[in-house]
Amino acid sequence: MRSSWAATATAIAFKAGPPEGHRIAALLPKIPEWRLDSGHAHPDAGSFIVWAHGRYLTGDTGYAGLPSARNHNTLTFGATGQGVETQHDVWRSMDYAGLDGIRIREADITGGRARIVADLAAAYPKAAGVTAFTRTFTWNGGSTITVADAATLEAPKTADWHLQSDTPFEGAGTRFHNGEAGEPALLVSFASPKDLAVTAGTATVKAPGAPGSIEKGLEEQRGYALRAIAPAAAAFKFDVTLEVRDK
């Protein structure tokens, strides 16, 4: 969605679905010789992009040799991301019938506003112990976006909330912003959970290697990241507000 076609417009995108689409789950059993290669499908269920005033305010870190959920705008639990992140095709070892559970449950995009509710638990491997994970993404059609996450786990673990940026984040406590002086920016405010440890730093990616060794590239910086770490628990509720500033 976008607010307008003007140069000052805000545009948003939201993603939640199985790699290669829901239709694949129905087709695979009918074509037993079919072997999926989902290497270009990133571990980014529930991620989003915000473009405003002519630039990306948040997106992701781009193509990688070893894709990781921490390089997208989503959550990791006990340092475990989505799919199996020790291989380029993170979905190869996951049961596709289970991945079909990644879905947009509700979407109301009327009146120039958006409210999207997504089920994301199926994106995580059994080792993560995620029994339920719902993300509600709401945009008022103007400058305010809210992201509400509710997750339950089999056992207590930490939860990390990740946000990417092309420019550094600055701030303290539970309020941060990106963007240089005079440039458009995203103001990020965490209302819950309590006892969050929010840190701003560089984003690093395992880059693609040479032909035939895509998983063996170098670690390289790709922009910047905001990371909010919640203490170990069996249930989490994150409430985050993103406010678009024109400068």
mmCIF file of all heavy atoms in Angstrom, residues 3 11 33 56 79 85 88 92 94-96 116 137 151 158 167 176 190 197 203 206 215 218 232 239:
data_model
loop_
_atom_site.group_PDB
_atom_site.id
_atom_site.type_symbol
_atom_site.label_atom_id
_atom_site.label_comp_id
_atom_site.label_asym_id
_atom_site.label_seq_id
_atom_site.Cartn_x
_atom_site.Cartn_y
_atom_site.Cartn_z
ATOM 1 N N SER A 3 0.469 5.813 0.501
ATOM 2 C CA SER A 3 -0.407 6.912 0.887
ATOM 3 C C SER A 3 -0.819 7.749 -0.307
ATOM 4 O O SER A 3 -1.904 8.340 -0.320
ATOM 5 C CB SER A 3 0.280 7.792 1.932
ATOM 6 O OG SER A 3 1.499 8.322 1.418
ATOM 7 N N ALA A 11 5.058 4.303 1.574
ATOM 8 C CA ALA A 11 4.628 3.022 1.020
ATOM 9 C C ALA A 11 5.076 1.902 1.950
ATOM 10 O O ALA A 11 6.169 1.971 2.526
ATOM 11 C CB ALA A 11 5.204 2.814 -0.371
ATOM 12 N N GLU A 33 8.214 -36.374 -8.214
ATOM 13 C CA GLU A 33 9.589 -36.152 -8.680
ATOM 14 C C GLU A 33 10.032 -34.699 -8.534
ATOM 15 O O GLU A 33 11.187 -34.371 -8.772
ATOM 16 C CB GLU A 33 9.730 -36.587 -10.140
ATOM 17 C CG GLU A 33 9.002 -35.719 -11.152
ATOM 18 C CD GLU A 33 7.535 -36.105 -11.358
ATOM 19 O OE1 GLU A 33 6.974 -36.809 -10.487
ATOM 20 O OE2 GLU A 33 6.960 -35.684 -12.371
ATOM 21 N N TYR A 56 14.238 4.268 1.556
ATOM 22 C CA TYR A 56 13.887 3.164 2.437
ATOM 23 C C TYR A 56 14.185 3.566 3.879
ATOM 24 O O TYR A 56 15.310 3.942 4.209
ATOM 25 C CB TYR A 56 14.713 1.922 2.110
ATOM 26 C CG TYR A 56 14.268 1.171 0.880
ATOM 27 C CD1 TYR A 56 14.974 1.280 -0.312
ATOM 28 C CD2 TYR A 56 13.147 0.347 0.912
ATOM 29 C CE1 TYR A 56 14.579 0.592 -1.446
ATOM 30 C CE2 TYR A 56 12.738 -0.345 -0.213
ATOM 31 C CZ TYR A 56 13.455 -0.225 -1.385
ATOM 32 O OH TYR A 56 13.057 -0.911 -2.503
ATOM 33 N N ALA A 79 18.098 -17.264 19.968
ATOM 34 C CA ALA A 79 19.058 -17.166 18.856
ATOM 35 C C ALA A 79 18.711 -18.086 17.691
ATOM 36 O O ALA A 79 19.515 -18.240 16.767
ATOM 37 C CB ALA A 79 20.482 -17.444 19.328
ATOM 38 N N GLU A 85 18.902 -22.461 9.405
ATOM 39 C CA GLU A 85 19.766 -21.392 8.926
ATOM 40 C C GLU A 85 21.235 -21.788 8.776
ATOM 41 O O GLU A 85 22.101 -20.938 8.682
ATOM 42 C CB GLU A 85 19.612 -20.168 9.828
ATOM 43 C CG GLU A 85 18.200 -19.590 9.785
ATOM 44 C CD GLU A 85 18.042 -18.302 10.581
ATOM 45 O OE1 GLU A 85 18.988 -17.930 11.300
ATOM 46 O OE2 GLU A 85 16.975 -17.685 10.486
ATOM 47 N N HIS A 88 22.020 -22.651 2.639
ATOM 48 C CA HIS A 88 21.520 -21.555 1.810
ATOM 49 C C HIS A 88 20.005 -21.639 1.629
ATOM 50 O O HIS A 88 19.312 -20.627 1.736
ATOM 51 C CB HIS A 88 22.218 -21.576 0.454
ATOM 52 C CG HIS A 88 21.764 -20.480 -0.461
ATOM 53 N ND1 HIS A 88 22.026 -19.151 -0.211
ATOM 54 C CD2 HIS A 88 21.045 -20.517 -1.613
ATOM 55 C CE1 HIS A 88 21.502 -18.417 -1.176
ATOM 56 N NE2 HIS A 88 20.896 -19.208 -2.032
ATOM 57 N N ARG A 92 14.804 -26.201 3.008
ATOM 58 C CA ARG A 92 14.974 -27.538 2.429
ATOM 59 C C ARG A 92 14.633 -28.656 3.403
ATOM 60 O O ARG A 92 14.065 -29.685 3.017
ATOM 61 C CB ARG A 92 16.416 -27.699 1.927
ATOM 62 C CG ARG A 92 16.694 -29.022 1.225
ATOM 63 C CD ARG A 92 18.129 -29.072 0.734
ATOM 64 N NE ARG A 92 18.369 -28.024 -0.246
ATOM 65 C CZ ARG A 92 19.513 -27.357 -0.364
ATOM 66 N NH1 ARG A 92 20.515 -27.617 0.463
ATOM 67 N NH2 ARG A 92 19.656 -26.439 -1.293
ATOM 68 N N MET A 94 12.599 -28.465 6.003
ATOM 69 C CA MET A 94 11.318 -28.256 6.664
ATOM 70 C C MET A 94 10.213 -28.974 5.899
ATOM 71 O O MET A 94 10.247 -29.080 4.666
ATOM 72 C CB MET A 94 11.007 -26.760 6.736
ATOM 73 C CG MET A 94 12.023 -25.916 7.475
ATOM 74 S SD MET A 94 11.897 -26.032 9.263
ATOM 75 C CE MET A 94 10.449 -25.004 9.573
ATOM 76 N N ASP A 95 9.213 -29.474 6.618
ATOM 77 C CA ASP A 95 8.066 -30.125 6.000
ATOM 78 C C ASP A 95 7.172 -29.069 5.348
ATOM 79 O O ASP A 95 6.678 -28.168 6.029
ATOM 80 C CB ASP A 95 7.275 -30.905 7.053
ATOM 81 C CG ASP A 95 5.983 -31.466 6.503
ATOM 82 O OD1 ASP A 95 6.030 -32.181 5.486
ATOM 83 O OD2 ASP A 95 4.911 -31.176 7.084
ATOM 84 N N TYR A 96 6.957 -29.205 4.012
ATOM 85 C CA TYR A 96 6.223 -28.146 3.332
ATOM 86 C C TYR A 96 4.776 -28.049 3.782
ATOM 87 O O TYR A 96 4.200 -26.959 3.843
ATOM 88 C CB TYR A 96 6.283 -28.316 1.813
ATOM 89 C CG TYR A 96 6.103 -26.986 1.117
ATOM 90 C CD1 TYR A 96 7.212 -26.226 0.775
ATOM 91 C CD2 TYR A 96 4.844 -26.462 0.886
ATOM 92 C CE1 TYR A 96 7.075 -24.977 0.191
ATOM 93 C CE2 TYR A 96 4.691 -25.218 0.297
ATOM 94 C CZ TYR A 96 5.805 -24.485 -0.045
ATOM 95 O OH TYR A 96 5.651 -23.244 -0.605
ATOM 96 N N ILE A 116 -3.112 -5.931 9.309
ATOM 97 C CA ILE A 116 -2.775 -7.265 8.831
ATOM 98 C C ILE A 116 -2.421 -8.144 10.032
ATOM 99 O O ILE A 116 -1.603 -7.757 10.868
ATOM 100 C CB ILE A 116 -1.590 -7.226 7.854
ATOM 101 C CG1 ILE A 116 -1.911 -6.277 6.687
ATOM 102 C CG2 ILE A 116 -1.253 -8.616 7.339
ATOM 103 C CD1 ILE A 116 -0.706 -5.905 5.861
ATOM 104 N N PHE A 137 0.165 -6.095 12.250
ATOM 105 C CA PHE A 137 0.818 -4.932 11.657
ATOM 106 C C PHE A 137 -0.270 -3.939 11.273
ATOM 107 O O PHE A 137 -1.161 -4.258 10.477
ATOM 108 C CB PHE A 137 1.616 -5.380 10.434
ATOM 109 C CG PHE A 137 2.356 -4.286 9.709
ATOM 110 C CD1 PHE A 137 3.677 -4.001 10.004
ATOM 111 C CD2 PHE A 137 1.733 -3.551 8.702
ATOM 112 C CE1 PHE A 137 4.373 -3.013 9.324
ATOM 113 C CE2 PHE A 137 2.413 -2.563 8.014
ATOM 114 C CZ PHE A 137 3.734 -2.288 8.321
ATOM 115 N N ALA A 151 3.735 -14.248 21.226
ATOM 116 C CA ALA A 151 4.340 -15.553 20.978
ATOM 117 C C ALA A 151 4.353 -16.380 22.257
ATOM 118 O O ALA A 151 4.535 -15.847 23.355
ATOM 119 C CB ALA A 151 5.764 -15.388 20.461
ATOM 120 N N THR A 158 15.019 -16.491 25.502
ATOM 121 C CA THR A 158 15.034 -15.067 25.167
ATOM 122 C C THR A 158 14.353 -14.860 23.819
ATOM 123 O O THR A 158 14.228 -15.788 23.015
ATOM 124 C CB THR A 158 16.469 -14.536 25.103
ATOM 125 O OG1 THR A 158 17.202 -15.306 24.141
ATOM 126 C CG2 THR A 158 17.148 -14.622 26.468
ATOM 127 N N THR A 167 20.804 3.373 7.403
ATOM 128 C CA THR A 167 21.541 4.389 8.154
ATOM 129 C C THR A 167 21.547 4.018 9.638
ATOM 130 O O THR A 167 20.670 3.280 10.103
ATOM 131 C CB THR A 167 20.910 5.782 7.975
ATOM 132 O OG1 THR A 167 19.515 5.710 8.315
ATOM 133 C CG2 THR A 167 21.037 6.239 6.530
ATOM 134 N N PHE A 176 14.454 5.031 19.780
ATOM 135 C CA PHE A 176 15.571 5.176 18.852
ATOM 136 C C PHE A 176 15.054 5.747 17.533
ATOM 137 O O PHE A 176 13.859 5.693 17.248
ATOM 138 C CB PHE A 176 16.232 3.813 18.583
ATOM 139 C CG PHE A 176 17.086 3.311 19.722
ATOM 140 C CD1 PHE A 176 16.501 2.753 20.849
ATOM 141 C CD2 PHE A 176 18.466 3.400 19.663
ATOM 142 C CE1 PHE A 176 17.279 2.284 21.901
ATOM 143 C CE2 PHE A 176 19.248 2.928 20.708
ATOM 144 C CZ PHE A 176 18.653 2.378 21.828
ATOM 145 N N PHE A 190 9.430 1.343 21.986
ATOM 146 C CA PHE A 190 9.012 0.052 22.536
ATOM 147 C C PHE A 190 8.174 0.281 23.794
ATOM 148 O O PHE A 190 8.660 0.854 24.772
ATOM 149 C CB PHE A 190 10.229 -0.805 22.891
ATOM 150 C CG PHE A 190 11.056 -1.210 21.700
ATOM 151 C CD1 PHE A 190 12.080 -0.389 21.233
ATOM 152 C CD2 PHE A 190 10.826 -2.410 21.050
ATOM 153 C CE1 PHE A 190 12.848 -0.753 20.137
ATOM 154 C CE2 PHE A 190 11.587 -2.789 19.955
ATOM 155 C CZ PHE A 190 12.601 -1.957 19.500
ATOM 156 N N ALA A 197 16.379 -4.926 26.589
ATOM 157 C CA ALA A 197 17.714 -4.376 26.349
ATOM 158 C C ALA A 197 17.796 -4.057 24.863
ATOM 159 O O ALA A 197 17.866 -4.968 24.030
ATOM 160 C CB ALA A 197 18.786 -5.373 26.752
ATOM 161 N N ALA A 203 24.781 -4.185 10.921
ATOM 162 C CA ALA A 203 24.217 -5.464 10.505
ATOM 163 C C ALA A 203 25.266 -6.210 9.695
ATOM 164 O O ALA A 203 25.872 -5.642 8.776
ATOM 165 C CB ALA A 203 22.961 -5.245 9.680
ATOM 166 N N LYS A 206 26.399 -13.102 6.135
ATOM 167 C CA LYS A 206 27.289 -14.085 5.501
ATOM 168 C C LYS A 206 27.043 -13.996 4.004
ATOM 169 O O LYS A 206 26.021 -14.470 3.492
ATOM 170 C CB LYS A 206 26.969 -15.483 6.018
ATOM 171 C CG LYS A 206 27.900 -16.572 5.515
ATOM 172 C CD LYS A 206 29.259 -16.518 6.174
ATOM 173 C CE LYS A 206 30.028 -17.801 5.890
ATOM 174 N NZ LYS A 206 31.376 -17.771 6.505
ATOM 175 N N GLU A 215 27.655 -20.879 0.252
ATOM 176 C CA GLU A 215 27.541 -20.737 1.706
ATOM 177 C C GLU A 215 28.863 -20.359 2.371
ATOM 178 O O GLU A 215 28.924 -20.241 3.595
ATOM 179 C CB GLU A 215 27.016 -22.047 2.306
ATOM 180 C CG GLU A 215 25.626 -22.422 1.803
ATOM 181 C CD GLU A 215 25.221 -23.834 2.182
ATOM 182 O OE1 GLU A 215 26.116 -24.587 2.615
ATOM 183 O OE2 GLU A 215 24.031 -24.175 2.034
ATOM 184 N N LEU A 218 32.302 -14.334 2.733
ATOM 185 C CA LEU A 218 32.825 -13.595 3.867
ATOM 186 C C LEU A 218 31.700 -12.934 4.659
ATOM 187 O O LEU A 218 30.617 -12.675 4.139
ATOM 188 C CB LEU A 218 33.802 -12.514 3.384
ATOM 189 C CG LEU A 218 35.031 -12.987 2.616
ATOM 190 C CD1 LEU A 218 35.819 -11.793 2.108
ATOM 191 C CD2 LEU A 218 35.898 -13.892 3.480
ATOM 192 N N ALA A 232 14.435 -14.186 29.160
ATOM 193 C CA ALA A 232 13.847 -15.497 28.923
ATOM 194 C C ALA A 232 12.456 -15.603 29.540
ATOM 195 O O ALA A 232 12.231 -15.225 30.694
ATOM 196 C CB ALA A 232 14.756 -16.589 29.481
ATOM 197 N N ASP A 239 5.073 -4.673 21.865
ATOM 198 C CA ASP A 239 4.262 -3.596 21.310
ATOM 199 C C ASP A 239 5.209 -2.472 20.898
ATOM 200 O O ASP A 239 5.844 -1.839 21.752
ATOM 201 C CB ASP A 239 3.249 -3.077 22.345
ATOM 202 C CG ASP A 239 2.145 -4.099 22.598
ATOM 203 O OD1 ASP A 239 1.374 -4.358 21.671
ATOM 204 O OD2 ASP A 239 2.069 -4.618 23.731
#
